[in-house]
Amino acid sequence: MNAETRQTVVVDGLALANEIRDELSEAVNRHVQAGRRAPRLAVVLVGDDPASASYIKGKQRACSRVGMDSEEHDLPGSASQQEIIDVVERLNADDRVDGILVQLPLPKGVDANAVTGAIDPEKDVDGLHAVNAGRLLLGLPCLTACTPLGIMKILECHKIPLEGAQAVVIGRSNIVGKPVSLLLQQKNATVTMCHSRTRDLRAECRRADVLVAAVGVPMLVKRDWVKPGAAVIDVGVSVVDGKLTGDVDTDAVQGVASIVTPHRRGVGPMTITMLLENTLQAYENRTGV
Ligand code: GUN
């Protein structure tokens, strides 16, 4: 098909998320009907960043909609690393808590790896503990970071071929870039990980059948960075002049990409849905049901 006449599908991440949430809701309901307690997620918020507070509220609302319990632990921005770890350790010891999420970023001076490393790996619904990250690397069952899982569901739902495909990931974060690269590789894609020191980023991107942008640079990916027919996944969330902006110039890639995720109702709802799925998984693993 001519690049100019291609019909680009704008992914409806919310519709897909709602379908999966219906299934999760049924699974939770089955547990409750059988006389068991509902799965419970504990979220920890440090400081008063409005974006983080809003994400946390969204996650708790999503829990409640599928019948899961949640609890929020707020600490001031002045909390020490040890004070945050003390909260995590209390949640580790609380048998009613199945999943623990410490909202990132943490205030300056707090070592995020030390905090996420304190979470019981069985309750690590972000997949950030070294045990889960290592198990993912080895291809063993584990709790896996939510955004990468959401991206894989989107690609699966849109029947994007991954076997032998060229996948390019921009960004090498522990929470998105690294785990999504491994998941794509598990599906037999040939994965290139790009980052701020990559020499000719545009040329790398132009080779991609699947392009994942997760770097937080607004509108980085332009029309002429995209191979005709590529699946383009935009994970970036930046605010420019008060407007939510992604890493991809979504309008510009219309007519070139096969699918593209929008800034709103794209990857975001899927990330939250995978958090629910991970919480249910942690509950079933822990309770043996
Ligand atoms: N901040 C932005 N995204 C995430 C996420 O997926 N998990 C956590 N813990 N913090 C985040």
Side-chain angles (χ1 to χ4, degrees):
M1 191 186 282
N2 181 311
E4 298 309 316
T5 59
R6 184 178 300 277
Q7 189 69 36
T8 300
V9 172
V10 178
V11 172
D12 188 343
L14 186 61
L16 181 53
N18 282 336
E19 274 175 38
I20 300 169
R21 287 182 202 186
D22 285 347
E23 289 165 22
L24 289 168
S25 185
E26 282 169 25
V28 171
N29 195 37
R30 276 195 298 277
H31 287 303
V32 173
Q33 291 298 316
R36 295 185 279 270
R37 66 173 177 80
R40 175 175 282 259
L41 174 70
V43 293
V44 180
L45 176 62
V46 186
D48 50 13
D49 174 49
S52 287
S54 148
Y55 289 144
I56 287 274
K57 289 280 169 277
K59 288 167 182 175
Q60 290 188 275
R61 207 165 37 238
C63 278
S64 127
R65 287 200 182 138
V66 297
M68 290 186 188
D69 294 328
S70 69
E71 58 186 56
E72 180 175 340
H73 298 263
D74 293 336
L75 283 89
S78 58
S80 69
Q81 185 169 305
Q82 192 54 51
E83 283 168 332
I84 305 169
I85 291 176
D86 287 346
V87 170
V88 167
E89 285 178 345
R90 277 205 301 280
L91 296 171
N92 285 344
D94 186 340
D95 208 34
R96 297 166 314 132
V97 170
D98 301 295
I100 303 171
L101 178 144
V102 179
Q103 186 66 26
L104 302 174
L106 289 167
K108 278 203 184 72
V110 175
D111 177 358
N113 282 327
V115 172
T116 53
I119 297 173
D120 177 346
E122 289 215 324
K123 299 187 178 188
D124 171 34
V125 284
D126 261 329
L128 286 172
H129 191 285
V131 165
N132 284 313
R135 290 181 68 88
L136 177 65
L137 186 75
L138 297 178
L140 298 171
C142 60
L143 289 167
T144 304
C146 305
T147 301
L149 286 179
I151 292 170
M152 297 308 286
K153 288 261 190 202
I154 288 171
L155 294 172
E156 187 188 334
C157 172
H158 286 271
K159 300 189 169 54
I160 304 299
L162 295 178
E163 181 90 18
Q166 294 285 347
V168 171
V169 178
I170 317 175
R172 52 180 161 180
S173 65
N174 292 338
I175 200 150
V176 184
K178 286 178 197 168
V180 81
S181 297
L182 290 169
L183 293 175
L184 288 163
Q185 192 189 76
Q186 277 177 14
K187 293 289 180 191
N188 299 318
T190 302
V191 183
T192 304
M193 289 180 75
C194 298
H195 45 75
S196 53
R197 310 289 166 86
T198 298
R199 272 194 201 127
D200 189 347
L201 186 55
R202 174 180 171 274
E204 297 292 348
C205 292
R206 274 198 71 81
R207 294 189 303 113
D209 301 306
V210 176
L211 178 59
V212 179
V215 79
V217 177
M219 303 279 211
L220 176 69
V221 176
K222 320 273 190 309
R223 185 180 179 88
D224 66 347
W225 288 36
V226 174
K227 177 176 168 179
V232 179
I233 306 290
D234 186 0
V235 183
V237 181
S238 309
V239 178
V240 179
D241 301 331
K243 249 187 81 189
L244 204 65
T245 309
D247 288 351
V248 176
D249 188 343
T250 319
D251 291 342
V253 307
Q254 294 281 339
V256 181
S258 57
I259 66 166
V260 65
T261 61
H263 313 145
R264 283 186 184 280
R265 299 183 161 201
V267 172
M270 288 300 290
T271 295
I272 296 184
T273 305
M274 294 302 104
L275 173 65
L276 302 175
E277 200 165 278
N278 278 351
T279 304
L280 178 65
Q281 179 76 61
Y283 165 90
E284 292 180 347
N285 291 346
R286 294 183 63 250
T287 58
V289 290

